[in-house]
Amino acid sequence: MISARRRYLVLPPLTVLIAAVSCSSPGDVAVPSPKGEAARYCRALHTELPRTVDQLKRGDAEPVSDFTAIWGDPAVKLRCGVPKPDVLTYGSEHYNPNADAAEVNGVQWLFEKQDDGYRFTTVLRKAYVEVTVPGKYAPEVDVLTDLARAVKKTVPAGV
């Protein structure tokens, strides 16, 4: 007969507290650093963003920035002024015709499957806008219908 011993790890309360505080919260969003015109477009977009997307209420992104926004919990996260996605380059800096993109209410979006949901990034616009949607909100593309008007109004088409 094999005897099994159980070991329990007992952590001091301060260690548990530090671990809990260092974990990211649902509102944490990495802030991009757009420059020049892209930064102006992103600030304009921030003021036009809707209070709700796909019936999810807007929350407060951490850290607070004119380049980020969130809705719901788990959060739908928007970042404006992100770098051009690698998948869009084909050869030397040309648009990749094989990238998966679709138009939603007049805005072209690249879509990339993630572990839990999708990441959508605008294409053929003067600034790249990225929206990450958790799989909980499938079909994930629905949030884009509520964002398209603000993007079209503030981020001009073009490359």
Side-chain angles (χ1 to χ4, degrees):
M1 178 173 184
I2 298 176
S3 171
R5 283 195 231 178
R6 291 189 181 182
R7 292 184 185 177
Y8 295 96
L9 178 62
V10 179
L11 296 174
L14 182 59
T15 304
V16 174
L17 178 62
I18 291 170
V21 170
S22 66
C23 294
S24 63
S25 72
D28 287 351
V29 182
V31 178
S33 302
K35 304 284 185 248
E37 286 184 332
R40 285 192 294 281
Y41 299 142
C42 290
R43 285 186 186 98
L45 173 63
H46 193 262
T47 64
E48 292 293 325
L49 289 172
R51 298 300 309 154
T52 61
V53 295
D54 198 26
Q55 301 178 4
L56 301 170
K57 291 184 181 179
R58 190 162 170 184
D60 296 319
E62 291 294 331
V64 174
S65 169
D66 287 344
F67 306 131
T68 62
I70 63 168
W71 294 264
D73 185 12
V76 169
K77 299 177 181 182
L78 178 142
R79 300 183 330 125
C80 185
V82 297
K84 180 179 185 178
D86 290 339
V87 71
L88 290 180
T89 55
Y90 185 76
S92 63
E93 293 304 313
H94 295 91
Y95 177 72
N96 181 351
N98 299 319
D100 292 326
E103 183 178 317
V104 178
N105 290 356
V107 177
Q108 289 277 16
W109 297 89
L110 166 73
F111 55 96
E112 300 172 274
K113 179 73 175 124
Q114 304 289 286
D115 288 339
D116 177 34
Y118 277 86
R119 177 175 54 216
F120 302 97
T121 308
T122 57
V123 294
L124 306 175
R125 295 264 160 196
K126 296 283 186 176
Y128 292 99
V129 179
E130 174 190 279
V131 179
T132 306
V133 185
K136 174 181 179 176
Y137 305 121
E140 293 89 338
V141 72
D142 286 355
V143 304
L144 302 180
T145 60
D146 294 326
L147 294 171
R149 184 192 67 74
V151 171
K152 279 175 46 176
K153 182 175 181 179
T154 60
V155 183
V159 216

